[in-house]
C-alpha cells in the first residue's frame, strides 16, 4: 500500500569519531613525553651501578689472584689472567671469575693498569661516551 515506507537508519554509535581518536593520541603523546625521559634516566643510572659492581668484583678477583700468586697480573697479562693461567705463574689457582671478564655495560673492555696511578692497580671504564673524563653518565667509573 505505501511504497515509500521508511526503513530504520543504522545506528551510528558503533565507532569512534576522528576527533575522539585525535584526543586519545594527544593524551598518549603527552604521557610518553612525560614518562620516557624518566625511564631512560633510570636505565643510565642502572648502567653506572652495574659498572661499579663489576669493577668491585674484578678488584676482589685480582686480590685473590694476588694472594695465590704473590703479585697482581702485569699490564701485559691484564684482566685475562683471571681466567687463563699465565705461562710463567706456577702458583696460579684460578680461574678467579666464574665467567669471562665482562665488558662494561656500554660494550667496551674495562681498562687495567699495573702499576696503577691511584693504587696498586687501576681498573676503570670510560663510561657511556667511551672517552676519558666527562660528567654524569659519561663520567669515568673507577676503583679509586
Amino acid at each position: 500500500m505505501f511504497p515509500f515506507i521508511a526503513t530504520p537508519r543504522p545506528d551510528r554509535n558503533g565507532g569512534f569519531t576522528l576527533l575522539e581518536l585525535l584526543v586519545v593520541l594527544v593524551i598518549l603523546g603527552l604521557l610518553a613525553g612525560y614518562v620516557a625521559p624518566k625511564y631512560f634516566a633510570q636505565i643510565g643510572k642502572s648502567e653506572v651501578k652495574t659498572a661499579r659492581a663489576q669493577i668491585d668484583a674484578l678488584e676482589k678477583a685480582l686480590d685473590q689472584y694476588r694472594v695465590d700468586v704473590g703479585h697482581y697480573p702485569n699490564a701485559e697479562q691484564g684482566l685475562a689472567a683471571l681466567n687463563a693461567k699465565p705461562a710463567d705463574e706456577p702458583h696460579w689457582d684460578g680461574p678467579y671469575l666464574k665467567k669471562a671478564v665482562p665488558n662494561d655495560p656500554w660494550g667496551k673492555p674495562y681498562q687495567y693498569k699495573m702499576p696503577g696511578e691511584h693504587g696498586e692497580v687501576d681498573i676503570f671504564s670510560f663510561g657511556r661516551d667511551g672517552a676519558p673524563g666527562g660528567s654524569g653518565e659519561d663520567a669515568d667509573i673507577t676503583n679509586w
Side-chain angles (χ1 to χ4, degrees), residues 10-132:
D11 191 10
R12 301 189 106 204
N13 292 332
F16 297 106
T17 66
L18 180 60
L19 182 61
E20 291 168 332
L21 290 174
L22 288 175
V23 168
V24 168
L25 288 176
V26 167
I27 291 170
L28 289 174
L30 290 172
L31 285 173
Y34 178 74
V35 172
K38 293 184 182 294
Y39 173 74
F40 288 113
Q42 293 302 316
I43 289 176
K45 288 179 186 176
S46 69
E47 288 172 334
V48 170
K49 287 180 182 179
T50 299
R52 288 187 200 284
Q54 287 176 334
I55 286 173
D56 185 53
L58 290 171
E59 195 169 26
K60 288 177 178 160
L62 284 167
D63 288 341
Q64 186 61 47
Y65 178 99
R66 185 178 130 186
V67 166
D68 290 346
V69 176
H71 57 83
Y72 289 111
N74 61 36
E76 185 178 300
Q77 294 167 329
L79 296 173
L82 296 174
N83 280 49
K85 180 180 181 185
D88 57 347
E89 298 295 351
H91 300 292
W92 188 87
D93 194 27
Y96 298 95
L97 295 172
K98 290 183 180 180
K99 297 180 180 179
V101 176
N103 285 334
D104 69 15
W106 302 277
K108 298 174 186 78
Y110 283 102
Q111 306 297 310
Y112 174 74
K113 286 187 180 179
M114 169 53 190
E117 297 173 10
H118 304 277
E120 289 185 77
V121 293
D122 291 348
I123 310 166
F124 56 97
S125 165
F126 289 125
R128 182 180 63 182
D129 64 352

